[in-house]
Amino acid sequence: MNVALMLSRSASMTPSAPALALGRDLLLDYAGLWRRVTMLSEGLGRMAAPGDRVVLAMQNLPDYLVLMFAALHRGLVIVPVNAALQTREIEYCLADSGAVACFTDSGHAEALAHLPGKVETLRAVIDVESEAFQALSIPISDQTPVERRSENPAWIFYTSGTTGRPKGAVLSHGSLRAMAMAQLSDYGTPPPGACLVHHAPLSHASGLLAIPFVASGALQVIPEPEHRSVAGVLALTSHWGGAYLFSAPTFLNRLVAVASVNPADAAGIRTIFFGGAPMYVEDLSRALAVLGPRLAQIYGQGESPMTISGVPAQAYGSATGDELRRLMASVGWVRSGVELAILDEAGERSPPGKPGMVAVRGDVVMSEYWNMAEATASTLVGGWLHTGDIGIFDDSGLLSLVDRAKEVIISGGLNIYPREVEEVLLSHPDVAEVSVVGLPDAEWGEITVAAVVARAGRTIDTQDLDALCLDNIARFKRPKKYFVVDELPKSAYGKILKKDIRSTLIGKRLPNAVAG
Ligand code: AMP
């Protein structure tokens, strides 16, 4: 089944329901959105054939969603990449995926214009804000999507590349359908009048979430540039009401800080789905105190989009005491339609209480890494996707992530999971953000060091932090050095870039670094 049929169903059931808005302005209802999508699909069919890849490298715009569904409707494989990437990173995705076209916005068109000469397969760079793009839409009578089977590729998701070279996870129509169905079944169908505010990049979680939200006939709201700040997003959610958002922890923490001053500002928010990076217990506890049970967690990765485990909002609402604390420290329960196991080094299932590789299988899991047979073979083993995350089940089936396997620090032969140390340091009132990494050391192999950002108006006393660690974790785990910094390096999706922290700390090039 072509996943674009999910839009066609909403267009038949609720043709006059609001479908797409820019800021406060409603642009299209569902009948209008379907018409635009099918007209553009017809034009795309004249420049590309089913199975061809098209890159979407642009900021969030209403036409992003139109294009996304039109390309899927035409059987093309979409390759959404973050517009904040450097030109050479976008070029890598174009060349690696063998894309025939690159769609972009007027802010990026010039920088990308020369690429058709450089990337062999690339025939055109098209600015969706130009007349040439509008001219691609052609009225048609037959609106049936190109037939796709479940295994046909639909979306290539380039991993954000916090380590190594980005790899293209191939997601099929069946995978996107499984993701959408699991979303609706585990978190509930949004009620009539609901909207999804896409402040986060459409190339990642927010764009994936658009599929189940379109399937439920909800309004998709694209913020205008002035609505991209926390205050702007809150103003939009107040305007439309019943709003859902996807947010990485960094943005959520900022939103919580604003809403804690005036909780009424967040009255238009129905649910914030958070995920994409660890949400620390202290931060989540503060967020729940300010927003109440309007937070739902999603743990997924490009290779198993949005769907490994999660916590629905009502579960945070009904848990108390120790149960709530355990829930806040976890990434929740296995999602519908997926099987989840913790595997030991021999690939055998580990019992509850024992950490190991988080592995998943099910329809949602990627088919392969694009053109990377070796990486595919070492990641998809015996049908199980090895996520690269180290996790642990408790007796009740609640999953907690210990850390990324690649981030484990081995010091004096002992394993240290940075996440555990970070949780402790973040409980200090002077600490706003922290990242713990291992640095090479002649004596220990690696030593634990922490890069710490102070809360506004506070100063960090590293002896205080050391005392806190001694009270809470084994002595050998505590950082041997602290670096107080103004900010932590982050990827375009807000993920803390540990490899950059490591390299700058090794070279001591971190701005304002103070060794403690
Ligand atoms: P990406 O493929 O770029 O979406 O990155 C996926 C990775 O982000 C996962 O493998 C996890 O390491 C991390 N991640 C995603 N969601 C969560 C979550 N809810 N809690 C902790 N880490 C997460």
Side-chain angles (χ1 to χ4, degrees):
M1 180 200 117
N2 188 318
V3 83
L5 283 167
M6 290 188 159
L7 168 58
S8 118
R9 178 172 179 271
S10 293
S12 319
M13 280 181 72
T14 52
S16 55
L20 187 58
L22 175 63
R24 292 186 164 88
D25 300 326
L26 181 61
L27 305 179
L28 291 171
D29 60 17
Y30 266 90
L33 176 59
W34 179 241
R35 203 173 317 113
R36 283 278 330 266
V37 162
T38 52
M39 282 167 60
L40 179 57
S41 162
E42 184 66 16
L44 293 175
R46 309 211 173 160
M47 57 186 290
D52 281 350
R53 276 79 56 210
V54 291
V55 164
L56 279 62
M58 57 190 176
Q59 57 167 321
N60 290 4
L61 290 170
D63 274 331
Y64 198 122
L65 286 175
V66 175
L67 179 58
M68 192 175 125
F69 280 97
L72 292 169
H73 183 278
R74 185 48 43 186
L76 310 182
V77 183
I78 57 171
V79 187
V81 302
N82 196 308
L85 295 183
Q86 306 278 352
T87 303
R88 64 178 168 74
E89 295 171 295
I90 296 176
E91 184 183 335
Y92 169 85
C93 297
L94 285 162
D96 189 68
S97 66
V100 296
C102 175
F103 291 90
T104 188
D105 55 44
S106 52
H108 295 86
E110 210 182 302
L112 303 177
H114 67 288
L115 293 177
K118 277 184 93 183
V119 176
E120 216 182 301
T121 52
L122 188 63
R123 297 199 286 266
V125 171
I126 299 163
D127 174 1
V128 302
E129 296 179 277
S130 70
E131 280 178 16
F133 177 73
Q134 295 308 326
L136 278 178
S137 291
I138 300 166
I140 44 160
S141 49
D142 180 9
Q143 298 180 323
T144 320
V146 166
E147 210 172 298
R148 292 284 86 183
R149 287 196 306 273
S150 286
E151 66 273 22
N152 288 139
W155 180 315
I156 300 182
F157 186 110
Y158 276 89
T159 54
S160 43
T162 44
T163 49
R165 203 154 71 88
K167 297 189 278 289
V170 178
L171 307 176
S172 64
H173 283 263
S175 157
L176 296 183
R177 187 183 60 224
M179 179 272 304
M181 301 315 283
Q183 171 70 29
L184 299 176
S185 123
D186 300 346
Y187 298 98
T189 303
C195 70
L196 177 61
V197 176
H198 293 283
H199 85 89
L202 283 166
S203 52
H204 198 259
S206 216
L208 288 161
L209 265 192
I211 298 172
F213 274 77
V214 158
S216 351
L219 170 65
Q220 314 291 313
V221 179
I222 308 291
E224 289 190 277
E226 69 264 29
H227 291 130
R228 291 197 188 135
S229 62
V230 169
V233 167
L234 289 174
L236 264 191
T237 57
S238 299
H239 175 77
W240 290 108
Y244 292 78
L245 301 172
F246 177 84
S247 177
T250 322
F251 187 84
L252 177 54
N253 289 338
R254 274 193 252 141
L255 188 147
V256 168
V258 173
S260 66
V261 179
N262 190 0
D265 288 351
I269 294 179
R270 188 181 164 99
T271 304
I272 301 179
F273 297 104
F274 67 90
M279 179 78 186
Y280 298 98
V281 175
E282 284 300 315
D283 291 338
L284 181 52
S285 162
R286 194 173 308 119
L288 286 167
V290 172
L291 295 170
R294 289 184 287 164
L295 296 166
Q297 180 165 193
I298 286 182
Y299 161 46
Q301 61 175 199
E303 293 84 343
S304 185
M306 309 294 278
T307 319
I308 298 176
S309 71
V311 183
Q314 62 272 24
Y316 287 122
S318 57
T320 52
D322 278 355
E323 193 195 347
L324 177 59
R325 188 116 198 129
R326 272 202 308 279
L327 196 58
M328 288 193 300
S330 81
V331 288
W333 298 275
V334 60
R335 298 287 308 282
S336 294
V338 304
E339 209 181 328
L340 186 48
I342 300 296
L343 302 181
D344 65 16
E345 277 169 15
E348 301 296 328
R349 286 179 190 246
S350 295
K354 206 162 169 274
M357 174 69 70
V358 177
V360 217
R361 64 181 175 191
D363 292 345
V364 75
V365 169
M366 69 163 182
S367 338
E368 57 173 346
Y369 286 123
W370 185 257
N371 274 340
M372 286 192 183
E374 234 173 81
T376 303
S378 60
T379 308
L380 288 176
V381 186
W384 289 98
L385 166 72
H386 289 214
T387 61
D389 291 317
I390 303 287
I392 189 165
F393 270 132
D394 73 6
D395 288 325
S396 70
L398 210 51
L399 177 71
S400 296
L401 291 188
V402 184
D403 226 309
R404 294 285 299 160
K406 288 196 178 107
E407 304 299 350
V408 176
I409 301 167
I410 304 180
S411 188
L414 294 169
N415 282 9
I416 300 166
Y417 295 108
R419 170 89 190 261
E420 187 189 0
V421 186
E422 288 161 359
E423 292 275 10
V424 171
L425 293 171
L426 271 173
S427 68
H428 194 286
D430 295 341
V431 175
E433 279 191 310
V434 66
S435 183
V436 167
V437 296
L439 293 189
D441 180 79
E443 186 181 354
W444 297 96
E446 276 184 308
I447 52 162
T448 309
V449 304
V452 191
V453 180
R455 275 190 193 285
R458 310 281 188 110
T459 29
I460 300 287
D461 178 341
T462 55
Q463 282 178 353
D464 239 29
L465 297 185
D466 196 45
L468 184 69
C469 288
L470 283 170
D471 280 349
N472 286 283
I473 44 173
R475 208 180 171 81
F476 73 90
K477 295 180 183 170
R478 70 194 218 281
K480 292 209 166 37
K481 271 188 191 163
Y482 289 91
F483 291 86
V484 179
V485 297
D486 291 342
E487 57 179 345
L488 298 174
K490 304 215 173 81
S491 76
Y493 293 116
K495 284 179 201 275
I496 294 174
L497 293 169
K498 294 206 176 212
K499 69 172 182 199
D500 287 7
I501 296 181
R502 268 190 297 269
S503 59
T504 42
L505 285 187
I506 288 170
K508 299 246 182 0
R509 282 181 282 112
L510 215 57
N512 297 340
V514 177

